Structure formats: structure tokens, C-alpha cells
């Protein structure tokens, strides 16, 4: 009975093997003349992309593929590195390498982990071009048949070329040309031997082992690539040793920060809010002006170099906005690479005298005018006794004089007269969202706000309507269809008209640069407001 059971088991295995072989044969006969596409599959659309008006991509989140590069334009050591670690018998097998699969299994068992793959380059390309990632017998049979067909119709060099232009290498990069730019900011033709080994090392686990996510793990595996290349005769021992020495200090050198990276991050956040849970991609045309952005960055660098140390400042920020809220330049800090914290949008600081805008706007809204007179004499509110910058009082002055010269005593007295709650209400009308403490010192800007909020408020004065909401999006469209979407902006029905207060407030602001504390900011021959 035992022998009979064994015979049944053996016959069952034999029948299964014969059935699988028959299935492969039938598939091969029926599909062998089927034309196979050589075109790489479309990439997943970037979830979000931001472009300048010129069409240049400022930033994108999602898949990236560089222009297609022919095999003979790539350095020979790149293909050799890939074949050494992924498919050493590539030019010997017919698409399926049983010997190589067995050898890989043994090598992995000896190493106690996966150090060498079992699928051939052809099989991997089949997965990229045609098949879904399923672990079923049917898919394995399809893979085997398609691999043979690909070998028959395309030939080895074309298969390798397609593979090198398509394989995923982490950080959104599909293909060696894209990875060369992503990790080393160079064309694939310029890759050195250790750089090629580092990219080849990323193929097996691209999302975990690549020069950005885990440089040490990538270096370790790249060392294995170089050892295999020497073992297989692609390079000599001296070349291997030199490459290993260079590999020890090799680090990724991604593209230099594009102008407006703080801006790009801010726009991406804005687009994510618009996108919501939708799975479709969005593409935006940005409001950024590259020339203004470059000037803004130079200004921040120069000011910090000349005045930063004396002022005890280590960072600075700048934003340029049109009166309708379109941001033309944004500098969120001195060095985006070292700190991505955006000091325009996220840093809350005491605005100081710039907050006096709301005190005087409130007074104008309640019927005062620039020539209204108020005392700049000493004032005490409980234990608090504010002082002017020059530690003097200036008697009775007009609102224009008090605002132009930034007199604290007159401003605090004005705030007490019109009411702190009224000032907070006006600030809210101009888009200030940060918590505002209803204390007497609020008039001197002691509650923290962002630079962007304050810029929106001044833009509202210039436009004559408030609030103005900053945006970095000029136009928005769906990535797949190209259909335009409406960019939601603050409608006029949601805004407060400044028809009665705009001109007198502009009068006060002019006085600051013409005769007050802001004379250094005056531009001759130009009426800024």
C-alpha cells in the first residue's frame, strides 16, 4: 500500500510537470509571432506638479523618467555593473536561466540573505512592460513565454537598453538616466564606475537601499557589485580597488536647489489641500517670477552678510506679492538645503510696529483722519509704562506724525481710546488668523503673526479690499486630461471694501517713507503706493 501511494504521488508530480510543460508549449506556439511593443510603459502621473509660466518644472511629487538614452551612449561599466549583480549569464541564456536561478539560490543560502536575484534581466523587463505583480503559477508561465518571445524579437542589446531606461531605482526615478540626475546631478553618460555600481546596487530594493534612503547599505551592496565585476572579468583587481576607495567617500549630489524651493513646498501644500483625497494628478502653473526670485535671494544674502551679525540675526525671510495675492518671490530662509523651515509662512514672530497698521486703520474706520490730533505724552496702564524709541514724548501730534515717526505713546493712547477688541476685529478682517492677546501692548505688535499674514494685510490696503489671500497658483489643471480647474480665490462678496479708509491709510504709509522712520526705503521718482 505504501509503494502504491508513492507511485501515485510520483505520477501526480509527473503529470503536473507535464501539464506545465504542455501549457508553456501551447502558449509559445500560439503567441510566438505576436508583436511585442518596445515602448516603455507610461509612468504613473506625478500626483502633483508645479511649473513656471515658461513650462519649466519647478517641482513634482511622483514618478520621474529622463529622456531615453541608447545603450551605446551609456558607459560600458554601467551595463556591466547591472549584469554582474542581476544577470551574469545574460548573453548566454534564452530569457530563462535555470542554472543562474540555482546558483543564486545557493549563493543566497550561503550568505544568509538575498545577495543575488534569480530572475533574468529579460524576465524583469517583462514584468515592467507587461505583467502585474502577482505571485501565481499562471503569471510565472506568462513571464516565461514572454521572456522567450522578447529574446526572439528584440535581441539582447535592445532588451538591456530598454531595461536600463525603465528599471525603478528609488526616489521616484525610473531608469538609469533619471537616477543619474536624481542622485548625482549628471547625465548618465558621465557616471563613474563607483556611481554605476551604486545605482546597480539599488535595483533589488530600490525604495530601501539607494544613495538617499540608506547610503551605507547602498555602499555595502555596491562593494559586492564591484567584487562580482572583478570576479566575472569586467574589471581588473586594481580598477576594483580604486573604485572601492572612491566608493567609501562617494555621496549623492542631487541637483542644486532650484530658485523658489520654499515657494515650491508652499505651493505643493496648497495643491494638496485642493486635491484632497482624489487619486487624480494635478498640475499647476506657478505665480513665481524667476528674476524677482533671484533678486530676492540676493537681497536676503547681502543684508544678512552686511547686517546680520550686528543685529544678532541668523535667519531672514522675504516675500513679494501683488495686491491681489499672487506671490512672485518667496525666500523662507538663508539656505533651503540646510533648513526647509519656511520663515515666511510658518515662523510666528512679534511684528512690532508693523502691527500699528491695524490700530490706525481702526481709528480711520471710526471717523478719524490723518490730521486728527492725539497726545504723545507719557501713559501708564497698571504697571506697564510704554516708551518711545527715543525715550522722549512729543506733545500733541497728528495721526500722520505719530504713524510716520512710529510714536509708541500716541499709538497706545489711540488704541485705548478706540478699544483693543475693535483693533482685533479689524485685524481679522484683513486675514490675521493667529491668536491675538487683547492686552494694551497688542498695539505695539506683541502678539506673534507670520510674515505672510502681515503681507496679505498690507496688500489689502494697496488693493482697497480685504482680506487678500496669498496664492502661488496662477492656473490649475488635471494632469491626465489637461482640463483646467478654477482656482478658488477670495470673492469680492467675501471682502470688505476700503473705499473710505484706503486713501487716508495710504497717506499715512507714504508719510513713513517720505518723512518718517522709513526714509531709507524711499525710491526716488517712484510713487510706491
Amino acid at each position: 500500500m505504501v509503494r502504491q501511494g508513492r507511485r501515485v504521488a510520483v505520477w501526480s508530480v509527473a503529470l503536473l510537470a507535464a501539464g506545465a510543460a504542455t501549457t508553456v508549449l501551447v502558449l509559445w506556439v500560439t503567441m510566438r509571432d505576436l508583436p511585442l511593443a518596445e515602448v516603455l510603459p507610461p509612468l504613473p502621473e506625478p500626483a502633483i506638479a508645479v511649473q513656471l509660466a515658461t513650462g519649466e518644472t519647478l517641482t513634482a511629487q511622483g514618478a520621474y523618467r529622463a529622456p531615453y538614452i541608447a545603450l551605446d551612449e551609456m558607459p560600458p561599466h554601467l551595463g556591466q555593473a547591472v549584469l554582474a549583480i542581476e544577470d551574469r549569464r545574460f548573453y548566454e541564456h534564452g530569457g530563462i536561466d535555470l542554472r543562474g536561478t540555482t546558483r543564486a539560490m545557493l549563493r543566497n543560502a550561503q550568505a544568509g540573505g538575498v545577495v543575488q536575484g534569480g530572475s533574468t534581466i529579460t524576465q524583469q523587463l517583462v514584468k515592467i512592460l507587461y505583467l502585474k505583480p502577482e505571485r501565481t503559477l499562471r503569471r510565472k508561465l506568462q513571464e516565461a513565454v514572454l521572456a522567450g518571445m522578447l529574446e526572439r524579437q528584440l535581441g539582447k542589446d535592445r532588451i538591456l537598453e530598454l531595461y536600463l531606461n525603465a528599471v525603478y531605482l528609488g526616489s521616484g526615478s525610473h531608469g538609469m538616466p533619471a537616477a543619474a540626475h536624481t542622485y548625482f546631478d549628471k547625465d548618465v553618460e558621465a557616471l563613474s564606475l563607483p556611481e554605476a555600481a551604486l545605482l546597480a546596487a539599488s535595483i533589488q530594493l530600490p525604495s530601501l537601499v539607494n544613495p538617499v534612503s540608506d547610503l551605507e547599505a547602498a555602499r555595502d551592496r555596491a562593494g559586492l557589485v564591484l567584487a562580482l565585476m572583478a570576479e566575472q572579468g569586467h574589471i581588473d583587481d586594481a580598477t576594483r580597488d580604486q573604485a572601492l576607495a572612491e566608493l567609501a567617500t562617494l555621496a549623492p549630489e542631487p541637483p542644486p536647489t532650484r530658485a523658489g524651493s520654499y515657494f515650491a513646498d508652499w505651493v505643493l501644500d496648497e495643491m494638496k489641500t485642493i486635491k484632497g483625497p482624489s487619486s487624480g494628478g494635478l498640475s499647476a502653473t506657478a505665480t513665481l517670477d524667476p528674476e524677482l526670485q533671484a533678486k530676492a535671494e540676493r537681497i536676503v544674502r547681502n543684508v544678512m552678510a552686511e547686517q546680520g551679525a550686528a543685529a544678532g540675526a541668523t535667519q531672514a525671510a522675504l516675500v513679494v506679492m501683488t495686491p491681489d495675492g499672487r506671490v512672485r518671490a518667496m525666500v523662507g530662509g538663508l539656505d533651503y538645503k540646510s533648513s526647509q523651515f519656511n520663515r515666511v509662512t510658518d515662523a510666528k514672530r512679534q511684528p512690532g510696529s508693523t502691527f500699528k497698521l491695524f490700530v490706525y486703520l481702526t481709528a480711520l474706520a471710526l471717523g478719524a483722519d490723518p490730521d486728527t490730533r492725539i497726545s504723545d505724552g507719557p501713559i501708564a496702564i497698571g504697571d506697564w509704562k510704554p516708551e518711545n524709541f527715543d525715550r522722549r514724548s512729543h506733545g500733541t501730534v497728528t495721526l500722520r506724525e505719530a504713524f510716520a515717526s512710529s510714536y509708541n505713546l500716541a499709538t497706545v493712547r489711540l488704541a485705548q481710546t478706540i478699544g483693543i477688541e475693535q483693533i482685533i476685529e479689524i485685524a481679522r478682517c484683513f486675514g490675521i488668523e493667529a491668536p491675538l492677546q487683547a492686552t494694551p501692548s497688542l498695539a505695539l505688535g506683541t502678539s506673534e503673526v507670520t510674515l505672510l499674514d502681515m503681507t496679505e494685510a498690507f496688500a489689502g490696503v494697496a488693493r482697497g479690499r480685504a482680506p487678500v489671500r496669498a496664492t502661488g497658483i496662477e492656473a490649475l489643471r488635471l494632469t491626465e486630461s489637461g482640463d483646467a480647474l478654477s482656482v478658488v480665490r477670495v470673492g469680492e462678496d467675501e471682502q470688505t471694501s476700503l473705499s473710505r479708509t484706503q486713501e487716508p491709510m495710504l497717506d499715512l504709509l507714504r508719510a513713513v517713507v517720505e518723512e518718517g522712520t522709513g526714509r531709507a526705503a524711499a525710491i526716488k521718482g517712484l510713487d510706491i503706493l
Side-chain angles (χ1 to χ4, degrees):
M1 292 294 290
V2 173
R3 290 180 180 177
Q4 184 176 356
R6 288 176 179 170
R7 288 196 203 99
V8 171
V10 170
W11 276 104
S12 297
V13 172
L15 287 171
L16 285 172
T22 302
T23 301
V24 171
L25 180 62
V26 170
L27 286 170
W28 173 258
V29 171
T30 56
M31 298 173 63
R32 62 182 177 177
D33 295 321
L34 184 68
L36 297 178
E38 297 184 42
V39 179
L40 297 181
L43 291 174
E45 293 288 354
I48 296 176
V50 182
Q51 295 179 324
L52 299 176
T54 59
E56 178 187 358
T57 298
L58 183 65
T59 188
Q61 291 187 343
Y64 163 57
R65 178 181 288 145
Y68 192 94
I69 300 295
L71 183 62
D72 60 7
E73 295 179 22
M74 298 186 193
H77 53 247
L78 177 59
Q80 293 166 358
V82 171
L83 294 181
I85 191 70
E86 294 294 322
D87 191 357
R88 66 185 299 172
R89 283 177 25 87
F90 176 69
Y91 283 100
E92 301 171 27
H93 61 66
I96 304 295
D97 185 11
L98 296 178
R99 190 201 310 178
T101 301
T102 303
R103 185 187 61 253
M105 291 173 63
L106 290 174
R107 191 179 185 94
N108 293 339
Q110 292 171 352
V114 179
V115 297
Q116 195 165 342
S119 295
T120 65
I121 293 293
T122 312
Q123 287 174 283
Q124 293 182 47
L125 182 60
V126 163
K127 296 172 187 176
I128 294 170
L129 294 179
Y130 304 110
L131 300 178
K132 295 180 180 179
E134 301 171 353
R135 294 181 177 272
T136 64
L137 177 60
R138 178 174 178 272
R139 199 199 67 91
K140 279 293 183 184
L141 293 175
Q142 290 173 334
E143 180 184 302
V145 171
L146 287 169
M149 293 168 59
L150 218 57
E151 293 269 347
R152 179 172 178 268
Q153 294 190 26
L154 301 184
K156 292 291 188 180
D157 287 349
R158 181 61 176 165
I159 288 172
L160 181 58
E161 180 181 291
L162 285 165
Y163 179 78
L164 294 177
N165 277 277
V167 64
Y168 182 61
L169 293 152
S171 299
S173 299
H174 291 253
M176 291 291 178
H181 283 286
T182 297
Y183 296 124
F184 303 114
D185 191 28
K186 60 174 59 176
D187 293 337
V188 68
E189 299 93 322
L191 286 175
S192 67
L193 175 56
E195 288 169 344
L198 206 56
L199 294 186
S202 302
I203 293 175
Q204 187 181 92
L205 295 170
S207 297
L208 300 176
V209 179
N210 67 58
V212 168
S213 63
D214 193 335
L215 178 58
E216 288 307 312
R219 280 177 178 163
D220 288 345
R221 188 162 173 80
L224 173 63
V225 172
L226 293 169
L228 290 173
M229 291 179 72
E231 179 185 304
Q232 296 167 26
H234 296 299
I235 57 176
D236 57 31
D237 291 348
T239 302
R240 176 202 60 199
D241 293 342
Q242 181 179 347
L244 286 171
E246 294 175 11
L247 181 64
T249 58
L250 182 63
E253 297 180 10
T257 303
R258 289 181 183 272
S261 289
Y262 291 105
F263 172 89
D265 289 350
W266 174 63
V267 174
L268 286 174
D269 287 340
E270 187 179 2
M271 292 178 70
K272 288 175 185 176
T273 301
I274 296 171
K275 178 179 167 59
S278 170
S279 60
L282 289 179
S283 180
T285 300
T287 60
L288 191 77
D289 182 323
E291 291 186 8
L292 273 178
Q293 178 67 30
K295 289 179 181 178
E297 292 183 350
R298 282 198 303 273
I299 289 170
V300 168
R301 284 196 302 269
N302 292 341
V303 167
M304 287 299 296
E306 296 169 5
Q307 305 175 31
T314 58
Q315 287 289 348
L318 186 153
V319 62
V320 179
M321 182 193 299
T322 60
D324 62 359
R326 286 171 167 82
V327 173
R328 301 303 188 196
M330 178 182 285
V331 183
L334 279 177
D335 183 4
Y336 178 83
K337 187 175 181 180
S338 62
S339 171
Q340 290 80 51
F341 181 71
N342 192 334
R343 293 159 186 84
V344 171
T345 60
D346 299 325
K348 291 184 178 180
R349 299 288 186 269
Q350 292 183 350
S353 291
T354 57
F355 195 85
K356 292 175 182 177
L357 173 79
F358 304 115
V359 178
Y360 288 81
L361 270 170
T362 305
L364 296 174
L366 293 175
D369 63 55
D371 294 320
T372 297
R373 302 179 71 78
I374 191 166
S375 171
D376 186 53
I379 183 173
I381 304 174
D383 295 331
W384 184 52
K385 296 180 180 179
E387 292 183 332
N388 285 328
F389 181 77
D390 60 4
R391 298 182 180 275
R392 297 168 49 201
S393 59
H394 304 88
T396 300
V397 296
T398 64
L399 294 191
R400 183 185 292 104
E401 292 171 327
F403 189 78
S405 298
S406 195
Y407 291 156
N408 291 337
L409 299 176
T411 301
V412 170
R413 181 171 278 103
L414 181 62
Q416 290 299 299
T417 301
I418 58 182
I420 295 295
E421 293 296 339
Q422 297 265 50
I423 296 169
I424 292 176
E425 184 178 345
I426 289 293
R428 297 292 183 221
C429 288
F430 277 78
I432 300 297
E433 298 175 349
L436 299 176
Q437 302 298 318
T439 60
S441 64
L442 176 70
L444 304 183
T446 55
S447 285
E448 295 182 337
V449 298
T450 68
L451 174 59
L452 190 63
D453 280 350
M454 289 302 299
T455 307
E456 288 174 334
F458 278 89
V461 175
R463 192 179 191 196
R465 303 189 69 83
V468 169
R469 297 296 184 190
T471 182
I473 300 174
E474 190 69 56
L476 194 64
R477 58 190 174 279
L478 294 172
T479 305
E480 295 180 4
S481 65
D483 293 341
L485 299 177
S486 60
V487 181
V488 179
R489 307 191 193 280
V490 179
E492 291 198 0
D493 58 337
E494 302 175 54
Q495 294 179 315
T496 300
S497 172
L498 308 183
S499 57
R500 192 163 60 85
T501 57
Q502 183 188 29
E503 280 306 318
M505 192 66 237
L506 291 178
D507 181 18
L508 297 184
L509 289 167
R510 287 190 189 96
V512 174
V513 295
E514 290 175 356
E515 58 195 66
T517 58
R519 284 191 295 270
I523 301 175
K524 293 182 179 180
L526 177 64
D527 185 356
I528 301 173
L529 300 170

